Amino acid sequence: MSRSALQLRSLVSEDKTLTLSLEEVEVPEPGPEEIIVQMEAAPLNPSDLALLIGPADISKAQYSGTPDRPIVKAPIPEHLMGMVKPRIGQSLAVGNEGAGVVVASGNSDAAKALLGKRVGIVGGDMYSQYRCVHTMMALPLEEGTTSRQGASCFVNPLTSLAMVETMRAEGHSALVHTAAASNLGQMLNRICLNEGIDLVNIVRKEEQAAILKGLGAKYVVNSSSDSFYADLTEALAATGATLAFDATGGGELASDILNCMEAAAARNMAEYNRYGSDVYKQVYIYGGLDRNPTVLKRGFGFSWGIGGFLLTPFLAKVGLEKSIEMRAKVAAELHTTFASHYSDEVSLAGALSKEALERYSQQKTGEKFLIVPSAS
């Protein structure tokens, strides 16, 4: 049985313009191991916004089309076009994850077992009314769990678990996390509290610090405070944290973390060493909230590392058995450790309204949008 679906798409053109629109696409017939999910909820994560909007200047966007089929065009600054050059001319579907009800399936036992079930799914192209995915990309939700509750059951939960797994695999004993009051940050805080892991949370505002302290966080430092450097060094000395995950990416925050780690480590040095301490310090950048260049001010010796971190390569590295184990933990704790919260819900068309786009493009902590593809 053929069916079509409205899908949100993002296009970058040669004339340095981003175009966002809703397009009608054909939903393929499911293969033996595939299912068709009627999408009921899909979150707008920072990783989604990187594809949806990229470096476009939303403050200068122009809005046209109809209420049901809106069109948004926004300019891309000349000096940022290099970031999106490989995708010029390609109309791309957006959305890493979501949830909904399985309305059709292939003829394998695994696929037929999911028919009629509510599932969380991952695999891209989720801002659509229907999505065809392999059964391995689906996580059956427990009875009574809504699609709203299960929409974010992959990216943030598995990333927060991956951070802890990386800490253990690389021989660290405590963690540092930036933009720590986010949904992901709150999940990581709950994991660390449950498992007795010291976590240093870095935020930008006092109200964000209050959120985390209200959730039981012991170490919270404000990067906008005049005493930030001293406060962070004290927290690192207390916890011994030598591994950080930075969601901001740009600016000097990664450098500040490494320098404070070195300052904390130097307290235990018996004598001066011009090469710095021998304590290894690592920062992984996993986001791009700050689009400025990453700046390192080298005051942290020679025992350090900085690199990128993404969930998909991590899962490929740890293998299927560990990935299944992590997914099972998420499913079991979806209403507690891995609960997500949303400030707004919008339809596919509503996601392209001026008010919504201007708000979620700012990526403010506490403002997380959920797209409801079935809403009008």
Side-chain angles (χ1 to χ4, degrees), residues 93-341:
V94 189
N96 284 316
E97 64 180 336
V101 176
V102 179
V103 294
S105 74
N107 58 18
S108 71
D109 290 341
K112 289 189 290 186
L114 294 175
L115 193 59
K117 300 283 183 65
R118 181 165 278 109
V119 296
I121 57 174
V122 68
D125 308 1
M126 296 297 168
Y127 301 159
S128 180
Q129 292 172 324
Y130 293 93
R131 182 69 171 91
C132 179
V133 296
H134 193 281
T135 56
M136 285 297 296
M137 309 301 277
L139 178 66
L141 301 178
E142 293 184 355
E143 190 71 29
T145 299
T146 66
S147 290
R148 185 182 190 277
Q149 294 168 324
S152 297
C153 65
F154 282 96
V155 177
N156 285 345
L158 293 180
T159 301
S160 57
L161 285 173
M163 291 175 177
V164 174
E165 292 291 336
T166 299
M167 178 200 75
R168 290 176 172 140
E170 297 186 359
H172 302 273
S173 60
L175 290 168
V176 180
H177 185 226
T178 72
S182 64
N183 266 318
L184 188 154
Q186 293 181 35
M187 290 179 190
L188 182 60
N189 180 61
R190 288 190 287 265
I191 293 170
C192 290
L193 288 173
N194 292 343
E195 301 189 17
I197 299 167
D198 281 334
L199 173 66
V200 179
N201 300 274
I202 298 177
V203 297
R204 293 173 294 174
K205 299 178 180 178
E206 279 306 313
E207 51 264 42
Q208 296 167 350
I211 290 172
L212 287 167
K213 290 176 181 177
L215 295 173
K218 184 177 180 181
Y219 302 98
V220 185
V221 292
N222 185 346
S223 62
S224 64
S225 169
D226 292 338
S227 60
F228 170 61
Y229 199 93
D231 294 341
L232 179 56
T233 301
E234 288 300 322
L236 294 170
T239 61
T242 50
L243 174 64
F245 290 90
D246 177 27
T248 64
E252 299 180 15
L253 186 53
S255 181
D256 289 341
I257 294 170
L258 288 170
N259 278 306
C260 288
M261 285 178 175
E262 178 66 9
R267 295 182 179 185
N268 299 317
M269 292 176 63
E271 58 184 27
Y272 170 75
N273 185 333
R274 68 182 182 275
Y275 298 114
S277 75
D278 60 1
V279 174
Y280 185 76
K281 304 160 288 289
Q282 175 73 43
V283 174
Y284 285 115
I285 292 174
Y286 78 99
L289 295 176
D290 186 337
R291 293 179 180 173
N292 291 307
T294 304
V295 178
L296 298 180
K297 294 185 175 180
R298 294 279 302 279
F300 36 80
F302 282 81
S303 186
W304 60 277
I306 188 166
F309 184 86
L310 288 173
L311 177 61
T312 303
F314 169 85
L315 293 175
K317 181 179 179 179
V318 299
L320 183 59
E321 184 176 348
K322 172 58 74 171
S323 298
I324 292 174
E325 176 188 320
M326 292 167 64
R327 286 171 55 163
K329 181 175 178 63
V330 172
E333 301 177 29
L334 192 57
H335 298 283
T336 53
T337 308
F338 303 106
S340 293
H341 307 283

Side-chain angles (χ1 to χ4, degrees), residues 35-99:
I35 54 175
I36 302 293
V37 179
Q38 184 171 1
M39 299 301 298
E40 295 181 329
L44 273 159
N45 293 317
S47 55
D48 299 314
L49 295 179
L51 179 60
L52 180 69
I53 300 171
D57 187 348
I58 295 302
S59 68
K60 297 179 180 178
Q62 297 180 342
Y63 298 81
S64 61
T66 67
D68 292 336
R69 296 287 185 93
I71 298 172
V72 181
K73 291 183 178 291
I76 300 173
E78 174 74 40
H79 68 284
L80 297 178
M81 275 298 292
M83 298 172 58
V84 290
K85 186 176 180 180
R87 55 171 288 194
I88 288 176
Q90 301 179 54
S91 178
L92 302 176
V94 189
N96 284 316
E97 64 180 336

